Amino acid sequence: MDAGKKLLSNKNASQKDIDQAAKSITKAVSDLKKEVKGTWQKNAKGWWYDYGSGKWPAGKWELIEGKWYAFDGDGYMRTEWFRDGNTWYYLTGSGAMATGWIRVGDNWYYLRDNGSMATGWMNVGGTWYYLSGSGAMLTGWVKLGQTWYYLNTSGAMATGWIKPGNDWYYMTSSGAMAAGWIKLDSSWYYLNASGTMAAGWLRLGNNWYYLNASGRMATGWIRLGSSWYYLTNSGAMATGWLKDGNSWYYLTASGRMAAGWLKLGNSWYYLTNSGAMATGWINDSGKWYYLTASGAMAQNTWIDNYYVNSSGAWTQTHSFISDSTHSL
């Protein structure tokens, strides 16, 4: 019987094991207590059971018409809470031992099939509940050891996404509140140390990440307001030069994609409106410039028959070229 009671308090036990343990305890109790025949009697002090031979049950349990009753030392039927050894039982107003869920005052309690009051984790019909040391069913946030759990208003242990207030939380299959990175299906999410789901920009160590409104970690190009950003496959925000496909882009220290003229070190670069680094001849505000294969603007040099000055602008040619053949 003791082994069965221990199993019923084991949150990791299977439902099959729990059912078998409950049955074994019930059978053990039944073997100890045999049903008797007699009649109920009542006097000013309460109800008692007459065996019919001038004797009555006192200080014991009795199985009467398929229901268990407990009698005090004087032989009167007990009602409400009764502690027998280290175990609590609840006797209804009729005196019958309660089983299953009962509500007493503002609290719910669970009495096993053998009538014993449950405490700790309890699996009922495939759903986990937590009963405090007093047996009262808990709801809301519960911290056990270093782990947080959430019990909804019915007392059922929550799993998956929950939003008990203004914030989202994720409860693992064991019911434990998640923290840090978690991967669900093909998406990554980040839960703060408090368990709240992160959204928007998030800095971890030296890296920035962006979590959209649903909490999913962004990758690739994203547009926020009028600015573009690039998040790598790991979710980390890119900075500096980035090659995407056949084009080069430059992300500033804030992660924003650069556009227009950009000076890095002693070199000038031109990023188109799409952010792609320009190469070859470009016309900007009526002036022609030449960007080398590396993207750096040419200065004080001839490009074939064309000369670009210190500002990079084309200023002269080696020979006259008619408008009909001018490639610029």
Side-chain angles (χ1 to χ4, degrees):
M1 185 183 291
D2 290 339
K5 290 181 178 179
K6 185 176 181 181
L7 182 63
L8 289 175
S9 300
N10 182 2
K11 185 170 178 287
N12 296 316
S14 68
Q15 187 61 48
K16 182 178 179 181
D17 290 339
I18 291 170
D19 292 341
Q20 289 178 342
K23 288 178 181 178
S24 68
I25 292 173
T26 302
K27 184 177 184 301
V29 172
S30 298
D31 289 341
L32 294 173
K33 305 168 184 177
K34 303 299 182 181
E35 187 166 359
V36 296
K37 299 294 183 181
T39 57
W40 285 103
Q41 305 292 333
K42 186 180 182 182
N43 60 25
K45 296 184 66 175
W47 287 93
W48 55 283
Y49 194 76
D50 183 5
Y51 286 147
S53 57
K55 297 181 180 180
W56 55 86
K60 62 182 291 189
W61 287 91
E62 203 67 273
L63 182 62
I64 302 170
E65 297 180 354
K67 296 179 180 180
W68 285 102
Y69 297 82
F71 296 88
D72 65 19
D74 294 326
Y76 289 101
M77 179 190 79
R78 295 181 183 274
T79 59
E80 300 185 351
W81 288 109
F82 167 53
R83 184 174 183 177
D84 188 4
N86 292 320
T87 303
W88 283 95
Y89 299 84
Y90 190 81
L91 295 312
T92 64
S94 70
M97 181 188 77
T99 60
W101 288 107
I102 62 167
R103 185 168 187 174
V104 181
D106 295 329
N107 296 314
W108 284 93
Y109 300 82
Y110 188 81
L111 293 308
R112 300 187 180 95
D113 289 344
N114 68 345
S116 62
M117 183 190 77
T119 60
W121 287 109
M122 187 72 191
N123 190 300
V124 182
T127 300
W128 285 99
Y129 299 83
Y130 191 80
L131 297 309
S132 68
S134 69
M137 181 192 79
L138 299 185
T139 61
W141 288 106
V142 177
K143 188 176 185 180
L144 301 175
Q146 299 301 311
T147 304
W148 284 96
Y149 299 85
Y150 189 82
L151 297 312
N152 62 31
T153 53
S154 71
M157 182 190 79
T159 60
W161 288 108
I162 62 168
K163 191 179 183 182
N166 296 322
D167 296 307
W168 285 95
Y169 300 80
Y170 188 81
M171 318 306 286
T172 65
S173 58
S174 70
M177 183 191 78
W181 287 109
I182 61 169
K183 188 175 185 180
L184 301 175
D185 298 324
S186 59
S187 299
W188 285 94
Y189 300 81
Y190 188 82
L191 293 310
N192 297 308
S194 65
T196 57
M197 181 193 79
W201 285 110
L202 171 71
R203 185 170 187 178
L204 297 174
N206 294 321
N207 293 317
W208 283 94
Y209 300 83
Y210 189 81
L211 297 309
N212 62 28
S214 70
R216 290 184 177 88
M217 182 190 79
T219 59
W221 289 105
I222 62 168
R223 186 173 186 176
L224 301 175
S226 60
S227 300
W228 284 92
Y229 300 82
Y230 189 85
L231 293 310
T232 64
N233 289 337
S234 70
M237 182 189 77
T239 59
W241 286 109
L242 167 76
K243 188 174 185 181
D244 184 28
N246 294 320
S247 299
W248 284 94
Y249 300 82
Y250 191 82
L251 295 310
T252 65
S254 68
R256 291 183 176 87
M257 181 191 78
W261 287 106
L262 173 71
K263 187 175 185 180
L264 298 173
N266 294 320
S267 298
W268 283 93
Y269 299 83
Y270 188 82
L271 295 310
T272 65
N273 289 336
S274 70
M277 182 190 78
T279 59
W281 288 103
I282 64 165
N283 189 302
D284 181 42
S285 301
K287 294 182 179 181
W288 288 93
Y289 299 84
Y290 187 82
L291 292 310
T292 64
S294 70
M297 181 189 75
Q299 296 172 280
N300 296 321
T301 189
W302 288 93
I303 307 298
D304 295 329
N305 292 326
Y306 307 93
Y307 187 80
V308 290
N309 62 18
S310 59
S311 66
W314 165 49
T315 57
Q316 59 179 303
T317 61
H318 274 304
S319 58
F320 175 78
I321 299 176
S322 67
D323 290 343
S324 62
T325 60
H326 203 300
S327 63
L328 300 178

